[in-house]
Amino acid sequence: DLSDCGIEELPEEFTRQTKLIELNLAQNQLRVLPVSFGRLTRLATLNVSANQLVDLPMSMGTSTNVCLMKTFT
């Protein structure tokens, strides 16, 4: 659980965590996700609510199993 940690940016290396199944990044300061986020092919749940995201990386289209929790503002 990485929620409410004041995270502003995830390093590209973060996407090497290919065994992640659930990721909670809610209530941070994220504006973008790494381009290579689609590498997280086992990711089933992603919570990026209450961030400053305006779009998701195109590579997320390859992660068809992910349940996304996000409110775009």
Side-chain angles (χ1 to χ4, degrees), residues 13-52:
E13 293 81 18
F14 185 82
T15 61
R16 292 185 185 155
Q17 308 302 316
T18 57
K19 294 184 180 183
L20 276 176
I21 296 171
E22 185 175 329
L23 181 57
N24 186 356
L25 293 167
Q27 298 178 348
N28 281 292
Q29 304 298 316
L30 292 169
R31 293 181 182 197
V32 296
L33 294 176
V35 173
S36 59
F37 215 76
R39 288 184 193 163
L40 303 176
T41 56
R42 294 185 183 185
L43 193 63
T45 304
L46 172 63
N47 186 349
V48 289
S49 60
N51 276 280
Q52 299 173 13

Side-chain angles (χ1 to χ4, degrees), residues 41-66:
T41 56
R42 294 185 183 185
L43 193 63
T45 304
L46 172 63
N47 186 349
V48 289
S49 60
N51 276 280
Q52 299 173 13
L53 294 170
V54 293
D55 205 356
L56 296 173
M58 293 290 288
S59 63
M60 288 286 298
T62 61
S63 302
T64 56
N65 295 329
V66 71

